[in-house]
Amino acid sequence: MADVYNWQLGRTIPYPYPEAHPQKQFAAVFNINRCIGCQTCTGACKATWTFSRGQEYMWWNNVESKPYGGYPQHWDIKILEMLDAAQQKTGKPAQWDTTQTDAKKPYGTYNGLTIFEANDPTQQALGYIPNDAEWRAPNFYEDTSTAYKGDNLGISTEGASLPEHQTWFFYLQRLCNHCTYPGCLAACPRKAVYKRPEDGIVLIDQSRCRGYKKCVEACPYKKSMFRGTTRTSEKCVACYPRVEGNDPLSEGVPMETRCMAVCPGKIRMNGLVDIAQDGSWVESPQHPLYHLVKVEKIALPLYPQLGTEPNIYYIPPRWAPRAYLHQMFGPGVDQALERYAAPSRETLAVLQLFRASQKMVFRYEIQEGPLVHEMQIKGKPWQMYNDTVIGFDSKGREIARLPVVEPIHERPKERLNSI
Amino acid sequence: MLKQKILILCALLTLAALLLWFKIPVASSQGPTLIAARVTDALPSQDLNSALWQQATALEIPLSAQTVTRPMLLETNVKAVTARALYNDQQLAVLVEWADATDNSQMVRIQDFRDAVALQFPIVEGLPFVCMGQQGVNVNIWHWKADWQQDLVAWQDMNSVYPNMNVDSYPFAEGQNPAPSDYTDANYVPAYELGNLMATPHKSSVEDLTAGGFGTLTSQPLDAQNVQGHGEWNNNQWRVIFTRNLTSAETEDINFAEGKMYSLAFAAWDGANNERNGQKSTSEWISLQIGKPAPVTKVTTADTITATPPSPQEIAIPLGLIVVPLVLVILVRTLMGKDEEPSE
């Protein structure tokens, strides 16, 4: 066991292998607030990778309705319950110490047990294998909200209002987190799971896998899946041919994955961030992911307390109960929501870059525009400027140029009714 | 007296450290001996009830849970196996029997684990570490799998466990229920495409493997797979026969000769208890005697090691074995005081 530094937890955790970080890390930001639950991402992934025999139940990308939905069913509640049972044995509560935060520990320090600490000593990590029935209904509880607390007729006299809706649900978009300290990689007794040094993508070597399902058991996000026809486990490959720039459309530059690129709600932004030798993100203020995750901190890791340092970041839904969001995204939730509700001039421009190109944006520039709107948000003045954001690919070529105010095109009178 | 004991301990530790350093397998006391009985007939490679098995002496070998490396299960289900061995001019056959309340020969569903049994042989003289050998000292493993046995009857597929499943079509594959081999574009069955023996049609229910330490288990290439197997589950019991030619041209395979003694270890897995990989029951090394011990004769040319001058390492090892403990003994004695303690 080695001690490795997990910046999301602000402390070191035990891990079977010593720290060794990739040069770049595959990462993404998902804006939950914008998701319409259309499953286009899910279908795009399915149509690209998992349409074959033995993969029928596999959804490397899925969108589940929280709080009840889950694929496999109740995956998060189950692992949290197991974690909690181990925590209870210590006699101490799992807590975040947020009194001290800095660049090395932006969310403070988590003192609870991770899956690498709560495990039985006979195993590398805490986990379980969901059975086939649990994987069978990937969208069970779709659009199911929490109980309605209205009058007898089911009519609310007050309606719903922020900051927290009484009756709520939200969509959670999930794929492999290509974790910094993957549970799957830790658990494989034959080192068939590896993390690529060039982009941090986590893959299962299909020639070495013997179908032990230790990765299925140890991945807390349940994104390793067993294929009954080849008797090996498979997982999200982060569309690596696209990330490598080998897709015919990509012109040799890294391209977003299929699930990211098809998103009609424009909720996803996918990219590669530079990683320093100590595992921290290399300071690059004009990288959109760096801006959202590290500068503004409006995008947060999913269940950071599990300990694997996941690399998909979420802008939390504004209307969900804070306690639920704290459990899911850690203590950064309040600040993230505050900043998202009244975004800075720069953040508002960066948010326009979501889904502006299939190619990954490595750098942005902002051209300042005029003040177009002034208002009060939570009693504080807020201004909106029609700035223009320009995105550049890995070779520094412009791939996107968008104003903050979406241009309106009025159809001329003579074509009012034409298609 | 205490000093003497410390001295002896130091000397032993030094010796052990040196053996480890030079990767010389540490010979430990051999367990019981399984004696392979010679028969003139063809070996009953598929016949569990053949009278020939009565000619072999059954040996019960106790098994216990693997607890050296993670992952492990502290409570494994197979507590012992019973083995018998027969050989003729060409082949060796080993019959292994053990109690198992359930037949787990499905590996299609995510929660399915197979019943299995394995034999392990060192491929060099001496005994490597009993768990999968050690770096530089490989072992040859014959791994029988209940699902492979079933596959030989009919390849287990999705419809073996989900008979009512229906899918309109599978792109890049032929037929309604395509096996990995029915794919016209094998990119969509990557484990099959890469020749992973888990995914490809089996020649036998036994996989022939090589290992040299934890995590190194590797299937031998398909054309080097030369162990045959046959297993049946009945009345809460598995009975499995392994058969292989006495000699093999493969460098990673063990070779057997009449009259000689070999080492052998067993492992077994109960799929019903989610046992797989290191989560298994294992035995200690036992001996396998092929027929009667050969009479001691003069060394024949065949047994003679090719005459080459000893390498520096070959000289250094015995030299080191003598000199280093000696130096250490002297050193410790000097440090502990020159005066000799009167013996009791």
Side-chain angles (χ1 to χ4, degrees):
Chain A
M1 276 285 168
D3 279 329
V4 296
Y5 189 75
N6 181 323
W7 66 261
Q8 294 175 354
L9 301 183
R11 68 171 173 91
T12 56
I13 56 161
Y15 193 70
Y17 302 104
E19 266 190 67
H21 297 283
Q23 293 143 7
K24 289 187 190 300
Q25 175 61 53
F26 174 93
V29 167
F30 292 177
N31 185 352
I32 291 177
N33 296 277
R34 299 186 71 156
C35 181
I36 56 169
C38 66
Q39 307 281 6
T40 308
C41 47
T42 309
C45 176
K46 188 80 183 160
T48 310
W49 297 109
T50 62
F51 49 75
S52 296
R53 189 103 172 134
Q55 297 178 313
E56 295 86 351
Y57 84 100
M58 282 189 200
W59 303 90
W60 292 352
N61 179 102
N62 77 291
V63 179
E64 53 203 43
S65 296
K66 287 298 175 193
Y68 304 120
Y71 166 79
Q73 271 175 48
H74 313 308
W75 64 274
D76 50 349
I77 299 306
K78 285 193 171 184
I79 189 69
L80 290 176
E81 212 169 27
M82 292 173 79
L83 210 55
D84 187 51
Q87 185 72 42
Q88 300 235 349
K89 281 185 194 156
T90 68
K92 290 182 227 156
Q95 282 173 331
W96 286 91
D97 176 4
T98 54
T99 51
Q100 268 199 319
T101 58
D102 56 45
K104 289 278 282 178
K105 42 181 176 184
Y107 318 128
T109 309
Y110 181 66
N111 68 15
L113 297 177
T114 64
I115 61 160
F116 304 115
E117 293 156 320
N119 53 314
D120 187 298
T122 60
Q123 304 294 322
Q124 297 285 18
L126 187 71
Y128 76 101
I129 297 181
N131 66 28
D132 56 351
E134 291 171 77
W135 298 91
R136 198 169 286 155
N139 215 8
F140 204 45
Y141 290 115
E142 182 186 24
D143 292 357
T144 302
S145 71
T146 57
Y148 175 71
K149 299 183 189 85
D151 63 13
N152 291 339
L153 294 169
I155 295 167
S156 166
T157 49
E158 288 155 22
S161 59
L162 290 172
E164 282 181 26
H165 292 185
Q166 269 198 348
T167 300
W168 59 277
F169 75 89
F170 65 84
Y171 299 117
L172 186 68
Q173 315 73 27
R174 303 206 308 113
L175 59 139
C176 168
N177 282 291
H178 297 278
C179 301
T180 304
Y181 305 115
C184 58
L185 190 153
C188 180
R190 42 188 293 102
K191 301 188 178 84
V193 186
Y194 62 104
K195 189 168 173 69
R196 304 207 308 181
E198 63 269 37
D199 50 24
I201 290 174
V202 178
L203 297 174
I204 300 173
D205 181 343
Q206 289 297 309
S207 64
R208 275 195 70 69
C209 177
R210 290 178 67 80
Y212 293 150
K213 304 166 195 163
K214 291 307 287 183
C215 55
V216 178
E217 190 175 346
C219 170
Y221 301 99
K222 295 292 164 250
K223 284 295 176 185
S224 267
M225 298 165 199
F226 179 72
R227 183 165 175 184
T229 53
T230 59
R231 321 263 167 90
T232 55
S233 294
E234 296 181 347
K235 65 177 286 299
C236 159
V237 296
C239 291
Y240 69 82
R242 289 169 69 94
V243 175
E244 288 168 356
N246 288 330
D247 188 286
L249 287 173
S250 73
E251 297 172 329
V253 293
M255 210 172 176
E256 296 194 329
T257 65
R258 288 278 291 134
C259 61
M260 315 267 179
V262 297
C263 181
K266 301 186 177 187
I267 82 147
R268 297 185 179 211
M269 178 180 280
N270 181 202
L272 293 167
V273 291
D274 288 326
I275 300 294
Q277 275 196 340
D278 67 354
S280 61
W281 289 25
V282 174
E283 196 176 336
S284 35
Q286 281 178 296
H287 190 295
L289 296 182
Y290 187 89
H291 175 83
L292 297 169
V293 175
K294 291 290 190 171
V295 179
E296 285 295 293
K297 303 184 190 76
I298 66 168
L300 303 166
L302 178 64
Y303 293 118
Q305 66 269 41
L306 299 172
T308 62
E309 208 184 288
N311 286 303
I312 308 288
Y313 295 84
Y314 295 83
I315 303 178
R318 290 180 62 194
W319 60 91
R322 295 303 181 264
Y324 187 84
L325 294 181
H326 287 158
Q327 173 179 265
M328 187 171 269
F329 302 111
V333 163
D334 299 303
Q335 191 191 54
L337 287 179
E338 206 173 299
R339 290 187 177 171
Y340 178 66
S344 72
R345 186 169 173 178
E346 189 166 351
T347 302
L348 193 63
V350 171
L351 287 171
Q352 310 309 315
L353 282 172
F354 280 63
R355 298 289 338 101
S357 166
Q358 287 212 76
K359 290 167 189 159
M360 285 179 174
V361 177
F362 281 76
R363 187 175 62 84
Y364 65 82
E365 275 175 21
I366 295 172
Q367 280 178 2
E368 292 194 349
L371 178 71
V372 288
H373 195 57
E374 268 187 292
M375 63 187 288
Q376 296 264 319
I377 296 178
K378 285 188 180 170
K380 287 181 193 162
W382 184 79
Q383 292 90 25
M384 189 167 112
Y385 294 86
N386 191 15
D387 296 336
T388 298
V389 64
I390 307 151
F392 300 90
D393 69 11
S394 66
K395 290 182 177 166
R397 295 176 302 198
E398 181 179 324
I399 48 171
R401 179 181 287 260
L402 290 112
V404 165
V405 179
E406 199 170 341
I408 295 171
H409 300 281
E410 270 184 52
R411 181 173 285 179
K413 244 184 197 164
E414 66 271 22
R415 301 194 193 282
L416 263 184
N417 206 22
S418 63
I419 295 171
Chain B
M1 196 61 197
L2 180 71
K3 279 185 188 173
Q4 274 181 338
K5 278 181 183 169
I6 293 171
L7 289 176
I8 293 165
L9 190 71
C10 283
L12 283 173
L13 282 173
T14 316
L15 191 70
L18 277 164
L19 289 172
L20 200 69
W21 177 260
F22 290 109
K23 291 176 187 166
I24 298 167
V26 185
S28 63
S29 62
Q30 282 278 49
T33 302
L34 176 67
I35 299 166
R38 183 180 175 89
V39 292
T40 44
D41 303 319
L43 295 181
S45 60
Q46 307 277 315
D47 187 0
L48 292 156
N49 300 315
S50 164
L52 286 174
W53 290 115
Q54 302 308 317
Q55 296 186 26
T57 312
L59 180 70
E60 190 181 88
I61 300 125
L63 264 53
S64 60
Q66 184 282 122
T67 55
V68 178
T69 190
R70 295 197 277 190
M72 55 179 100
L73 264 184
L74 300 180
E75 275 299 318
T76 50
N77 282 356
V78 187
K79 309 294 184 195
V81 294
T82 302
R84 288 176 174 84
L86 295 172
Y87 74 103
N88 61 15
D89 285 342
Q90 286 86 40
Q91 291 192 305
L92 170 76
V94 181
L95 168 64
V96 189
E97 299 166 292
W98 71 99
D100 187 337
T102 50
D103 170 5
N104 298 99
S105 46
Q106 289 280 8
M107 268 288 281
V108 175
R109 298 183 310 163
I110 197 156
Q111 64 265 40
D112 290 334
F113 295 93
R114 63 168 73 93
D115 292 332
V117 68
L119 310 187
Q120 175 183 275
F121 305 93
I123 54 171
V124 291
E125 294 257 335
L127 293 182
F129 188 38
V130 72
C131 297
M132 319 293 290
Q134 65 207 59
Q135 200 184 353
V137 191
N138 284 358
V139 290
N140 183 197
I141 292 171
W142 302 353
H143 190 268
W144 175 89
K145 300 172 182 64
D147 58 322
W148 283 26
Q149 189 72 59
Q150 187 67 34
D151 280 339
L152 292 176
V153 181
W155 176 262
Q156 292 180 71
D157 196 3
M158 302 310 287
N159 46 357
S160 319
V161 282
Y162 305 113
N164 298 322
M165 193 177 99
N166 181 58
V167 172
D168 292 344
S169 71
Y170 292 100
F172 309 108
E174 281 168 358
Q176 274 290 292
N177 305 317
S181 50
D182 295 327
Y183 269 79
T184 53
D185 184 340
N187 279 314
Y188 298 100
V189 274
Y192 173 84
E193 168 84 340
L194 291 163
N196 187 328
L197 295 189
M198 301 297 119
T200 50
H202 318 305
K203 281 168 41 178
S204 157
S205 55
V206 176
E207 187 183 7
D208 192 4
L209 303 119
T210 303
F214 296 129
T216 63
L217 186 66
T218 304
S219 314
Q220 293 189 9
L222 189 62
D223 55 11
Q225 294 288 323
N226 53 10
V227 185
Q228 296 304 311
H230 179 76
E232 286 175 26
W233 182 89
N234 256 317
N235 297 326
N236 301 327
Q237 190 191 34
W238 273 112
R239 302 173 77 203
V240 173
I241 303 168
F242 293 87
T243 316
R244 210 207 69 187
N245 284 348
L246 288 171
T247 57
S248 164
E250 308 296 330
T251 51
E252 295 294 327
D253 280 352
I254 183 166
N255 277 296
F256 301 100
E258 187 171 32
K260 289 212 167 180
M261 182 96 98
Y262 300 88
S263 295
L264 163 66
F266 293 82
W269 293 260
D270 180 14
N273 191 31
N274 290 1
E275 291 176 23
R276 76 277 197 194
N277 57 56
Q279 301 174 128
K280 64 185 171 186
S281 304
T282 56
S283 77
E284 294 295 319
W285 286 116
I286 66 153
S287 300
L288 171 66
Q289 173 74 46
I290 309 292
K292 287 181 187 145
V296 182
T297 52
K298 282 182 182 175
V299 174
T300 62
T301 42
D303 290 336
T304 314
I305 298 164
T306 322
T308 46
S311 68
Q313 201 190 34
E314 278 168 328
I315 300 168
I317 296 169
L319 210 66
L321 291 181
I322 300 161
V323 173
V324 178
L326 208 71
V327 170
L328 203 87
V329 166
I330 294 166
L331 201 73
V332 171
R333 286 178 73 156
T334 316
L335 285 172
M336 291 183 75
K338 280 164 194 139
D339 52 328
E340 200 72 48
E341 195 180 67
S343 57
E344 286 163 23

